[in-house]
Amino acid sequence: MPLPKIAEARELSDDQLVEEITAVKKQLFQLRLQKATRQLEKPHQFKHARHRLSQLLTVEGERKRAAIQAEQEQK
């Protein structure tokens, strides 16, 4: 399974982005729980989830910075 592309994250709306971030954080929690109880079968999922979370947080940060910059330009 290839790593997700950041272009997919950029296509999401703001609400979808927040929901996706929450979902990935929950997934990481579940993976850590499975690892602690020795039930984790696919350890590569950690890498995929962390990669996806970083992409989503990057897009969120870009949008926030763009909104702040647009607000400052209006003044």
Side-chain angles (χ1 to χ4, degrees), residues 22-33:
T22 304
V24 173
K25 285 184 178 182
K26 286 180 183 179
Q27 180 186 11
L28 277 170
F29 175 78
Q30 291 298 323
L31 289 171
R32 285 193 301 271
L33 187 63

Side-chain angles (χ1 to χ4, degrees), residues 7-55:
E8 297 170 2
R10 287 193 172 111
E11 293 174 358
L12 298 174
S13 70
D14 290 340
D15 293 334
Q16 290 173 328
L17 189 65
V18 172
E19 289 175 13
E20 188 76 19
I21 290 171
T22 304
V24 173
K25 285 184 178 182
K26 286 180 183 179
Q27 180 186 11
L28 277 170
F29 175 78
Q30 291 298 323
L31 289 171
R32 285 193 301 271
L33 187 63
Q34 288 176 2
K35 182 179 179 183
T37 58
R38 298 178 187 248
Q39 296 175 350
L40 185 63
E41 296 179 11
K42 299 179 182 179
H44 70 279
Q45 290 177 335
F46 273 109
K47 179 179 181 179
H48 288 266
R50 284 194 316 264
H51 184 80
R52 182 67 175 164
L53 181 61
S54 66
Q55 288 178 335

